[in-house]
Amino acid sequence: MSQPKGNLYLIPCTLGDTPPLEVLPLLVKKAIEEIDYYIVEHEKSARRFIKTVSPRKSQPDLKMEEINKFTSTEDIPAMLDPCLNGHDVGVISDAGCPGIADPGAAVVEIAHRNGIKVVPLVGPSSILLAMMASGFNGQNFAFNGYLPIDKAERKSKIKQLEKTSAQEDQSQLFIETPYRNNQMLESLINNLQGDTKICVACDITLSTEYIKTAPVSLWKKIKVDLNKRPTIFIIQR
């Protein structure tokens, strides 16, 4: 008989310095306490997160592989060898849920291809939490990742998303590199129509959380500093 395969657990983490058990269920703690093999975005932050959730877990026993923008696609399949040898493996993103706007999705795709059971665990997703708090259409929405950096291309993309939102009654979500958040909000205010609504969801689940939905005409009067603060932007026409 062949050896049973281990499972691939998608382990969510906090969106900032919030105490883990304030936003994560006990099942996440249990999984971390039982798993020694991990695929993570950055080893240092993953070890710090694991130590916070399970202080008594032996760090030297942890075996970690990193997957990020520098990882070669040819190296990913071997990261799942522990699963093929009967060990459970955990995937941890830098923030929030692995596989959502996250390189861990490539691991999940290969796991399915190899008949490895994928187990998603419950935890905070900035995309879903922002959508929940926006008041926008939660039955039809799209996440667009990053918008173009070039000003002309960005303007064109913003207007395209506004048009799509109006035509399909679809909420449009996107993100920006945190140090360019203020410029993003300024671009939205300058290029959207006055009655188009913008939701800014910043520092979600943190003590500095800021979530506000208002039409462009009102945003022109609002003063808020989003610099270096993780933010989700949503527009609804």
Side-chain angles (χ1 to χ4, degrees):
M1 294 179 63
S2 60
Q3 181 174 339
K5 297 174 182 176
N7 296 328
L8 183 69
Y9 285 86
L10 307 183
I11 300 175
C13 64
T14 55
L15 299 174
D17 293 331
T18 307
L21 295 185
E22 286 188 9
V23 294
L24 297 171
L26 288 175
L27 187 59
V28 170
K29 177 178 173 63
K30 181 181 178 182
I32 286 175
E33 289 175 344
E34 295 179 353
I35 295 173
D36 289 330
Y37 294 86
Y38 291 91
I39 301 170
V40 303
E41 261 194 280
H42 294 100
E43 182 172 346
K44 184 177 180 180
S45 59
R47 284 183 178 276
R48 184 168 59 247
F49 169 68
I50 290 173
K51 186 173 182 62
T52 303
V53 174
S54 182
R56 296 182 180 179
K57 189 168 182 67
S58 173
Q59 289 282 330
D61 290 341
L62 300 180
K63 301 166 186 67
M64 293 196 174
E65 298 280 356
E66 287 192 339
I67 180 168
N68 49 49
K69 62 183 179 180
F70 303 109
T71 303
S72 170
T73 54
E74 289 80 11
D75 294 335
I76 298 176
M79 296 180 183
L80 289 170
D81 283 351
C83 279
L84 301 179
N85 292 322
H87 301 284
D88 291 334
V89 173
V91 180
I92 301 177
S93 175
D94 267 356
C97 298
I100 305 297
D102 171 77
V107 178
V108 177
E109 191 275 331
I110 294 172
H112 283 296
R113 193 191 311 163
N114 286 278
I116 295 168
K117 182 178 179 180
V118 177
V119 183
L121 301 182
V122 175
S125 163
S126 59
I127 295 171
L128 290 180
L129 292 172
M131 195 63 229
M132 288 165 60
S134 69
F136 292 161
N137 187 358
Q139 298 198 56
N140 187 10
F141 58 92
F143 178 65
N144 298 276
Y146 293 91
L147 302 193
I149 296 176
D150 179 80
K151 288 185 177 180
E153 293 179 4
R154 171 170 291 189
K155 178 179 178 179
S156 176
K157 184 64 174 180
I158 288 172
K159 290 186 174 295
Q160 176 195 326
L161 292 176
E162 183 180 43
K163 182 178 180 180
T164 300
S165 178
Q167 290 177 339
E168 301 184 17
D169 188 23
Q170 185 179 68
S171 307
Q172 302 294 328
L173 299 85
F174 42 91
I175 54 177
E176 179 54 283
T177 302
Y179 65 83
R180 288 200 292 260
N181 280 335
N182 288 332
Q183 294 92 320
M184 169 60 81
L185 182 56
E186 183 179 356
S187 294
L188 295 176
I189 291 171
N190 292 336
N191 292 297
L192 294 171
Q193 298 185 45
D195 56 349
T196 294
K197 292 181 179 179
I198 302 173
C199 175
V200 172
C202 176
D203 289 345
I204 297 175
T205 73
L206 306 184
S207 61
T208 53
E209 181 178 85
Y210 176 87
I211 303 176
K212 186 171 184 64
T213 294
V216 170
S217 58
L218 182 56
W219 274 110
K220 291 180 179 180
K221 305 174 185 178
I222 297 173
K223 301 296 183 183
V224 59
D225 186 7
L226 305 174
N227 188 44
K228 296 183 179 179
R229 301 169 67 187
T231 303
I232 301 284
F233 297 92
I234 316 176
I235 64 172
Q236 176 84 59
R237 176 70 184 160

